[in-house]
Amino acid sequence: MTSGTSRAAVDPEQACPIAPVVDIVFSRWTTPILWALNEFGRQRFVELSRRIATITPKVLTQRLRQLERDGLVVRTYHAEVPPRVEYEISELGRSLAPLFAHLAEWASVNLEKVERARQDHDATERVGARRN
Amino acid sequence: MTSGTSRAAVDPEQACPIAPVVDIVFSRWTTPILWALNEFGRQRFVELSRRIATITPKVLTQRLRQLERDGLVVRTYHAEVPPRVEYEISELGRSLAPLFAHLAEWASVNLEKVERARQDHDATERVGARRN
DNA sequence: CGCATTACTATCCTTTAGGTACTCACTATA
DNA sequence: TATAGTGAGTACCTAAAGGATAGTAATGCG
């Protein structure tokens, strides 16, 4: 298994086949955005920002541009005054729904285990310090 | 669907039920680490860092501590000289395997669509600019 | 004695994210 | 005519996270 001195050094993309898709789908703020667009349908910029609430317009713009470029979101601009821009999830974006469901399923089963692990860890930290 | 003037403003955790699990499982470098531990079994710090190659020791330490705290990884310290520390994936960590497989499956089907979307986007960018 | 080994820290620098204010083009209102 | 308001962002600055490089401790080996 461990190959002794031979270093099988590869870049993260090679070392982990899912790394590229993680970059696309799970970079910061993308899941709340995709979720909102999938759940509540086509929405305007302000609607999205109100729904997600803690995202700033700068970052929302950045993420939407990225999602548009990756083909997960479709942006429609209406040249009115004031301007109206609508975002909706694409078919490609919708194809992530089962994956997200799977993730939600894992969370419903295991999230509390993570919580418990954290509490245990923090507790033994306080008591027994870390003897390295 | 859209509820007019009522703003349903909630924090991202509320707006997107999978946000907490994304923070745990898909924060930077965690997937390559978990993948390596799952594929190649118990490993020492240097083995991991050689396998992932582009990660720096500082960040690898940070992420491993986080994964240990979350109960996804188990750390074993042997007080020898030079020291020997081994990391292995926990049962909870292994429970992510089907999810990762699902992600790999999605990637094998859709990753090239994303690539194509990017190329199309960049091409029309160069030509037609963006009429906002 | 000096070098190698391992599992990290320490320090510095760059990139990314977050906060707040402002613009643009026009329309409705005073 | 002057003013305020609107939606979709930008501009600018600070804070946090990530990355690069070097160093540390304890000991065996040549």
Side-chain angles (χ1 to χ4, degrees):
Chain A
M1 183 182 288
T2 62
S3 47
T5 53
S6 92
R7 77 219 54 178
V10 269
D11 64 308
E13 319 269 302
Q14 290 286 324
C16 175
I18 62 173
V21 70
V22 169
D23 276 354
I24 293 167
V25 177
F26 296 104
S27 57
R28 192 145 171 67
W29 291 113
T30 55
T31 47
I33 293 171
L34 288 174
W35 187 278
L37 290 175
N38 189 57
E39 282 291 299
F40 303 100
R42 175 186 301 184
Q43 282 163 85
R44 308 177 61 164
F45 187 88
V46 274
E47 293 182 90
L48 270 176
S49 63
R50 275 203 270 267
R51 211 179 285 285
I52 300 175
T54 50
I55 197 172
T56 63
K58 190 193 77 169
V59 177
L60 181 55
T61 301
Q62 285 177 352
R63 289 286 85 85
L64 284 170
R65 294 276 147 84
Q66 179 190 312
L67 290 168
E68 188 196 4
R69 190 174 102 100
D70 292 345
L72 299 174
V73 158
V74 178
R75 184 185 114 117
T76 316
Y77 177 81
H78 304 268
E80 310 166 353
V81 167
R84 183 162 58 96
V85 178
E86 288 177 317
Y87 293 93
E88 63 186 316
I89 197 163
S90 71
E91 196 186 332
L92 185 55
R94 251 191 302 276
S95 76
L96 287 165
L99 187 62
F100 283 15
H102 194 163
L103 202 53
E105 173 66 17
W106 188 91
S108 77
V109 175
N110 296 294
L111 201 54
E112 67 177 52
K113 297 184 187 175
V114 173
E115 296 291 354
R116 221 141 357 107
R118 284 181 175 173
Q119 285 169 14
D120 290 2
H121 180 87
D122 294 358
T124 58
E125 269 280 288
R126 265 198 307 280
V127 175
R130 162 179 285 260
R131 57 212 158 299
N132 234 12
Chain B
M1 185 182 289
T2 61
S3 47
T5 53
S6 91
R7 78 219 51 179
V10 269
D11 62 308
E13 318 270 303
Q14 288 287 323
C16 175
I18 63 174
V21 71
V22 168
D23 276 355
I24 293 167
V25 177
F26 296 103
S27 58
R28 193 144 170 66
W29 291 113
T30 56
T31 45
I33 293 171
L34 289 174
W35 187 277
L37 290 175
N38 190 55
E39 283 291 299
F40 304 100
R42 173 186 302 185
Q43 281 162 86
R44 306 177 61 166
F45 187 87
V46 272
E47 293 182 89
L48 270 176
S49 64
R50 274 202 269 268
R51 211 180 285 285
I52 300 175
T54 49
I55 198 173
T56 64
K58 189 192 77 168
V59 177
L60 181 55
T61 302
Q62 285 177 353
R63 290 286 84 86
L64 283 170
R65 294 275 148 84
Q66 180 189 310
L67 290 168
E68 189 197 3
R69 190 174 103 100
D70 291 345
L72 300 173
V73 158
V74 178
R75 175 184 187 264
T76 316
Y77 176 80
H78 304 268
E80 310 167 353
V81 167
R84 183 162 58 95
V85 178
E86 289 179 315
Y87 293 92
E88 63 186 315
I89 197 163
S90 70
E91 196 188 332
L92 184 56
R94 251 191 303 276
S95 75
L96 286 165
L99 187 62
F100 283 16
H102 194 162
L103 202 55
E105 173 66 17
W106 188 91
S108 76
V109 175
N110 296 295
L111 201 55
E112 69 176 53
K113 296 185 187 174
V114 173
E115 296 291 354
R116 221 139 359 104
R118 284 181 176 173
Q119 284 169 15
D120 290 2
H121 180 88
D122 294 357
T124 58
E125 268 282 287
R126 266 198 307 279
V127 175
R130 162 180 284 260
R131 56 212 156 300
N132 233 18

